[in-house]
Amino acid sequence: MSDDHSAGSTLPRRQLGRALREAREGLGLTLEQAAKHMEWGKSTLGRVEKGQAERVRAREVADLCQLYGLSDERTEVMKNLAAQASTRSWWYPFSDLIAAGFNVYLGLEAGAAALSFYQPLVVPGLLQTAEYARAMDRVYFPDDSPAEIDRRIELRTRRQAILQRKRNPAMATVILHEAVLRTVVGSPRIMTTQLRHLADLGTADNITISVLPFRTGLPLGVGIAPFVILDFAPDVRGGVEPTIVFAENYTGGMYFEERGDVDRYRAAHLTLRDAALGPDISRTLLREAARSFESER
């Protein structure tokens, strides 16, 4: 199965690749040496270790485990990860609507235990109402049919389940610039509903929403594009997938995994959070902004 159509398989693929790389390095084998033993090209094994392989076969994983001298128990864990990596995700039926590469983000988002957002202009997709999302998509995807727009809204709504599920919902720490509250998306009516929705979401135990007011200026000294930090819970082996940052831009986004980059984004998020209003005051501001839009209707 190709990367573009992979399931919520992003995390299992990455976990499998990291575990195989650690096993190879622990044995002192280079990537070239291991690939030669497998009669593979170096790039093929490299893609497996980076979690980028289009297909990961259990038999080949078992052969790698044998090469690396792993125990039967460890081999079974690896084969199970390979099986998970080949499972189609719930968003597979929407694959024709998903931009190239964004399926990777969906897989990471679906597996995240905690998400830390900064958004300077719009409400993050996980917190959008259907009407707000529809107003955005009608402009951003002008050639889409009404049915395609409906499917985009359904995809976004289903993504939001990670924050709403009863068992182990993901934690979300959201910093919104005050511009998000003032930028009209759709209409004053849509904004009224969206801002009240945000205020209500902020009362959930797993969701914290803070507003960075205009008066704080530039806490980082520069403007910064929207980003989200994704943290993951330990897997069945006790390992933890490294934190990843996804920084958005007009044409897509970039992933940052190097420790130094992640630390800088985390420090930036903390600085922005310290400069933002507290959750209670932010909730009051959201409701006040909603009332101001209601008066314009």
Side-chain angles (χ1 to χ4, degrees):
M1 178 168 47
S2 72
D3 283 345
D4 288 342
H5 296 163
S6 62
S9 57
T10 305
L11 278 182
R13 277 208 314 269
R14 292 171 67 91
Q15 291 166 344
L16 174 63
R18 189 176 69 255
L20 289 172
R21 184 183 69 250
E22 290 171 353
R24 174 181 60 77
E25 292 175 346
L27 197 61
L29 286 176
T30 66
L31 189 66
E32 293 89 341
Q33 289 170 333
K36 185 176 180 179
H37 277 289
M38 292 293 294
E39 298 183 351
W40 288 356
K42 175 183 173 182
S43 62
T44 299
L45 181 55
R47 285 179 59 78
V48 170
E49 292 188 357
K50 292 177 182 177
Q52 298 172 347
E54 294 183 356
R55 184 181 296 275
V56 185
R57 295 179 175 85
R59 175 179 54 78
E60 293 170 337
V61 169
D63 290 344
L64 280 169
C65 291
Q66 183 178 20
L67 172 63
Y68 300 153
L70 300 184
S71 67
D72 290 344
E73 182 180 2
R74 185 73 166 147
T75 298
E76 281 304 309
V77 170
M78 299 289 204
K79 289 168 64 177
N80 285 337
L81 284 173
Q84 293 175 46
S86 299
T87 304
R88 287 180 175 176
S89 67
W90 61 262
W91 61 82
Y92 177 79
F94 301 92
S95 57
D96 58 313
L97 300 177
I98 299 172
F102 192 65
N103 64 297
V104 173
Y105 175 77
L106 290 178
L108 296 171
E109 180 186 80
L115 305 102
S116 302
F117 292 92
Y118 170 65
Q119 257 292 353
L121 285 175
V122 299
V123 175
L126 290 184
L127 307 181
Q128 291 175 5
T129 64
E131 285 189 317
Y132 186 98
R134 189 181 303 278
M136 289 186 62
D137 286 353
R138 280 174 175 163
V139 176
Y140 194 68
F141 301 102
D143 298 328
D144 274 10
S145 67
E148 287 172 325
I149 293 293
D150 285 344
R151 291 176 63 221
R152 290 190 187 280
I153 306 310
E154 183 183 355
L155 170 61
R156 204 162 314 178
T157 300
R158 292 183 65 177
R159 284 171 54 198
Q160 295 172 358
I162 66 168
L163 300 179
Q164 301 164 355
R165 61 195 179 211
K166 292 183 179 180
R167 184 178 179 183
N168 296 325
M171 303 292 294
T173 303
V174 184
I175 301 169
L176 304 176
H177 195 281
E178 189 175 350
V180 176
L181 283 58
R182 311 301 179 187
T183 301
V184 179
V185 173
S187 68
R189 180 184 61 79
I190 289 174
M191 290 302 298
T192 297
T193 303
Q194 175 65 75
L195 295 175
R196 285 178 174 160
H197 179 63
L198 287 172
D200 291 342
L201 285 174
T203 64
D205 292 339
N206 64 312
I207 301 175
T208 300
I209 299 176
S210 301
V211 176
L212 183 69
F214 287 119
R215 66 174 182 266
T216 59
L218 297 172
L220 297 172
V222 295
I224 186 169
F227 66 87
V228 55
I229 304 170
L230 301 105
D231 291 297
F232 305 93
D235 59 29
V236 293
R237 300 178 294 109
V240 178
E241 180 67 18
T243 297
I244 295 172
V245 176
F246 179 67
E248 299 181 66
N249 58 52
Y250 181 66
T251 57
M254 293 183 64
Y255 297 92
F256 297 92
E257 304 180 48
E258 295 297 325
R259 181 65 178 270
D261 292 330
V262 171
D263 287 348
R264 288 191 67 186
Y265 271 102
R266 201 181 294 282
H269 194 269
L270 289 172
T271 298
L272 293 168
R273 190 179 68 181
D274 288 344
L277 303 172
D280 292 341
I281 300 175
S282 294
R283 195 154 47 246
T284 298
L285 183 58
L286 284 164
R287 296 195 187 283
E288 288 175 352
R291 284 194 294 271
S292 70
F293 278 115
E294 189 172 35
S295 66
E296 297 177 22
R297 292 165 58 178

